[in-house]
Amino acid sequence: MNHSRISLFSLCLCTLLVFLGCGRDTDGAEQAAIRFYKSVWVNGDMNEASGMLQNKSDLKEIAWRISDTRREARNSNPDILIVESPTERVIGRYKTFLIHRPADKRDFKVRVRKENGSWRVVKFEQNYIDHQGGYISGDAYQRLKAEFPGLKWKRVENP
């Protein structure tokens, strides 16, 4: 009798943990943001990046970023730091991730939305435009570290 109570308790606990974990789904959203970052700002892969977009009219907006990535002939894949935006917490089914690349102090923002079971990119930004005078050196990252000292940035090696 005692073993059946323990088994029932274990089953209920596991079910609760699975239920709570599935509701947040941050890992899937974060992985989608990292995959999009890599396809645009590391690999310059238009096919992969465009396949992740919710709105295909963003193809023009993504094209110059991929062109810059290819022009810079990036052969490296430096570590990044990523965090869910403290100023744009979950808005409906949207999640916004901030990405900082310490190697060149560039910052990126990727907003994703869960649609039909998969995460799609709905908005993307970067804090530099090479052909318009360079980029803001680390300002966004440094400002966030100062304004949100408890923010836990996750290091991703060779995303």
Side-chain angles (χ1 to χ4, degrees), residues 27-41 43 45-59 62 66 82 94 97 99 110-115 117-124:
D27 289 342
E30 181 182 273
Q31 289 305 312
I34 292 169
R35 200 171 106 223
F36 183 78
Y37 157 82
K38 186 173 182 175
S39 68
V40 175
W41 292 291
N43 296 335
D45 185 339
M46 180 63 119
N47 289 331
E48 183 174 2
S50 65
M52 296 182 71
L53 293 175
Q54 177 180 329
N55 187 352
K56 297 303 177 191
S57 66
D58 287 337
L59 287 174
I62 212 173
I66 287 177
I82 187 168
Y94 297 91
F97 292 91
I99 298 170
V110 179
R111 180 176 295 150
V112 295
R113 177 176 187 245
K114 193 159 195 176
E115 185 177 281
S118 63
W119 290 97
R120 310 296 277 170
V121 175
V122 295
K123 186 175 182 182
F124 48 93

Side-chain angles (χ1 to χ4, degrees), residues 34-146:
I34 292 169
R35 200 171 106 223
F36 183 78
Y37 157 82
K38 186 173 182 175
S39 68
V40 175
W41 292 291
V42 175
N43 296 335
D45 185 339
M46 180 63 119
N47 289 331
E48 183 174 2
S50 65
M52 296 182 71
L53 293 175
Q54 177 180 329
N55 187 352
K56 297 303 177 191
S57 66
D58 287 337
L59 287 174
K60 183 177 177 184
E61 188 64 27
I62 212 173
W64 71 263
R65 289 171 168 84
I66 287 177
S67 176
D68 276 357
T69 299
R70 289 179 180 164
R71 185 176 41 80
E72 290 177 2
R74 279 191 209 285
N75 291 325
S76 67
N77 186 9
D79 296 353
I80 59 171
L81 301 174
I82 187 168
V83 70
E84 189 172 349
S85 174
T87 59
E88 299 178 45
R89 291 286 180 192
V90 180
I91 306 167
R93 292 179 286 183
Y94 297 91
K95 292 181 183 277
T96 301
F97 292 91
L98 308 174
I99 298 170
H100 175 70
R101 192 164 60 199
D104 58 9
K105 299 183 173 115
R106 293 184 179 184
D107 296 303
F108 311 88
K109 182 189 294 187
V110 179
R111 180 176 295 150
V112 295
R113 177 176 187 245
K114 193 159 195 176
E115 185 177 281
N116 298 326
S118 63
W119 290 97
R120 310 296 277 170
V121 175
V122 295
K123 186 175 182 182
F124 48 93
E125 299 177 57
Q126 60 197 55
N127 75 332
Y128 71 95
I129 300 174
D130 198 35
H131 60 277
Q132 292 183 350
Y135 59 93
I136 303 168
S137 177
D139 285 350
Y141 173 71
Q142 294 301 331
R143 180 180 47 80
L144 283 167
K145 280 187 67 171

